[in-house]
Each structure stands twice: as C-alpha cells, then as structure tokens.
C-alpha cells in the first residue's frame, strides 16, 4: 500500500511538474528503494517474504470474531487448513470480550473451498476473508 501511495504521488508530481519530497527516518524501506529500481525485483522480494510469513497470496486468511470461545476442531481438521492462530480473547470498542482466531488456509485453494471452511465456523461469528489488517 505504501508503494502504491508513493507511486500515485510521483505520477501527480510528474503531471504537474512539481517537486517530490519523502521525509522519513527509515530510508531503507523496500517501498522507497522500489521507486528507483525495477518493480519486478520489489515484487519478487515481497512474494518471498509473504511466503515465509504465510501471508496472502501464499496463504488465504480468515479472521473469525466470536462472542465467546468456540470449538474450532472441525475447522482444524479440514484438509486445506494449515494453522489456526488463537483463539485469543480481546476487548472490542465497547469493552466486550470477544474471541478472535485467524485461520490460515493454503494459498492455492479456490473460493469454493474457502467458503466450505467458513461454513464450518459458528453461525454467529463475524468473518472476514483475506483481511487487510488483522485485529489481534
């Protein structure tokens, strides 16, 4: 997202023939170095890092928020589920305790398989597939 924002700003500066200044204390961020290098190398390094950390697109994520602790053994035993992080208890904005779990599904599965895993979750769960940010 940072690279996309920086590239968008760069396009505007070129369009309006304006100056471009990025103020940062961390000059070695991959998104900053990618501005002056071919994008293919940036994308390769990002994919390698995401694969090592088991983040999308190497892994599909399902964030599940439940009002109380639920038994996720049916989900754990599904063939495409690699790992379940949690469930951990956390408070929402109103202070209510909730149980949050992140389910990691193999990245090569199709949407129908992800839907099958989602159907195994409790009916009252709040579910986000491939969330942009994880609330844990």
């Amino acid at each position: 997202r940072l690279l996309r924002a920086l590239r968008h700003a760069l396009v505007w500066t070129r369009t309006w023939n304006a100056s471009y200044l990025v103020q940062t204390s961390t000059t070695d961020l991959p998104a900053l170095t990618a501005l002056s290098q071919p994008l293919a190398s940036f994308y390769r390094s990002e994919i390698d890092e995401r694969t090592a950390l088991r983040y999308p697109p190497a892994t599909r994520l399902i964030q599940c928020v439940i009002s109380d602790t639920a038994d996720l053994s049916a989900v754990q035993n599904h063939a495409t589920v690699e790992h379940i992080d949690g469930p951990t208890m956390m408070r929402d904005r109103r202070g209510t305790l909730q149980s949050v779990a992140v389910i990691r599904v193999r990245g090569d599965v199709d949407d129908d398989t992800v839907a099958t895993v989602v159907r195994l979750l409790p009916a009252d769960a709040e579910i986000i597939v491939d969330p942009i940010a994880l609330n844990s």
Side-chain angles (χ1 to χ4, degrees):
R1 289 185 288 184
L2 175 60
L3 178 62
R4 182 176 48 221
L6 290 171
R7 288 181 54 84
H8 184 71
L10 188 60
V11 167
W12 275 104
T13 60
R14 289 182 180 157
T15 302
W16 295 100
N17 197 20
S19 298
Y20 187 80
L21 174 69
V22 176
Q23 183 176 353
T24 181
S25 61
T26 312
T27 58
D28 61 343
L29 288 173
L32 291 175
T33 57
L35 291 173
S36 61
Q37 297 175 355
L39 287 178
S41 62
F42 171 75
Y43 289 133
R44 267 190 243 103
S45 69
E46 283 294 304
I47 291 296
D48 292 345
E49 182 177 352
R50 286 177 167 275
T51 301
L53 294 172
R54 296 187 354 230
Y55 284 155
T59 302
R60 303 286 304 268
L61 298 178
I62 302 170
Q63 181 177 337
C64 176
V65 180
I66 312 162
S67 57
D68 55 9
T69 305
D71 180 23
L72 299 176
S73 59
V75 177
Q76 178 68 47
N77 296 330
H78 195 274
T80 61
V81 173
E82 293 181 329
H83 189 264
I84 297 178
D85 300 330
T88 57
M89 298 303 287
M90 62 181 283
R91 295 196 182 274
D92 66 4
R93 292 183 188 105
R94 296 175 304 239
T96 306
L97 274 175
Q98 294 180 323
S99 180
V100 179
V102 176
I103 301 156
R104 297 174 186 270
V105 181
R106 283 195 340 251
D108 62 345
V109 299
D110 59 9
D111 291 340
D112 291 335
T113 305
V114 173
T116 302
V117 173
V118 168
R119 281 193 286 276
L120 295 173
L121 295 169
D124 65 335
E126 178 185 322
I127 299 165
I128 304 171
V129 177
D130 294 332
I132 294 174
L134 296 174
N135 298 327
S136 57

